[in-house]
Amino acid sequence: VRLEETGGGVAQAGGSLKLSCEFSGWSQSSYCMQWFRKVPGKDREGVARTDTTGKTSYMDSVKGRFSISLDSDKRTLELQMNNLRPEDTATYTCAIKARGPGACTGPWFWGQGIPVTVSA
C-alpha cells in the first residue's frame, strides 16, 4: 500500500490550504481513511476521519474549519483547511485501514507526512 500526501506548505493565519493523499495498492472495497497530525513533543492527533459509507468525524478544534472528502474512484483523500490557526502547524499524515461490519478494523497504513506551517 502506498499513500502520498501533497499540498502542504506555509499559510498565514486565517488562510487556507488543501491537502491531498493519493493511495494505491489497496484492494479492499470498504475502508476508513484519516488525517493525523503530529507536533514534536506532543501526541499524534486524529484530525478527521471518513470511510466508504460517507461518514465523517472531526476533532473538536477543527470542526467548522476543516473538511475531509474521499473520492474512491480517483483513490484520493483530501483535507480542505480553512481559517487556519498557528496551532494547526504540524506534520499531517494520511492513513488507511480496512472497514469491517460497522467499524474500522486492523492496522493503519501510513503515508510519509507533509508539513503545514501557519504563521501568525
Side-chain angles (χ1 to χ4, degrees), residues 16-90:
S16 299
L17 285 172
K18 178 183 277 189
L19 304 182
S20 294
C21 171
E22 293 188 14
F23 60 98
S24 59
W26 182 266
S27 60
Q28 299 185 55
S29 59
S30 295
Y31 52 91
C32 302
M33 295 197 74
Q34 187 156 347
W35 287 100
F36 294 85
R37 69 186 185 188
K38 180 74 169 70
V39 176
K42 294 187 176 181
D43 291 338
R44 182 169 57 210
E45 299 177 306
V47 177
R49 177 184 287 198
T50 189
D51 63 30
T52 46
T53 70
K55 180 180 178 181
T56 60
S57 61
Y58 299 88
M59 63 183 296
D60 286 345
S61 65
V62 307
K63 285 180 180 177
R65 301 189 298 121
F66 290 12
S67 178
I68 189 171
S69 61
L70 172 63
D71 187 328
S72 295
D73 291 337
K74 294 183 179 179
R75 301 210 151 218
T76 300
L77 177 74
E78 293 185 336
L79 184 68
Q80 177 66 49
M81 305 185 293
N82 298 326
N83 193 18
L84 284 161
R85 303 169 180 169
E87 54 263 39
D88 295 320
T89 296

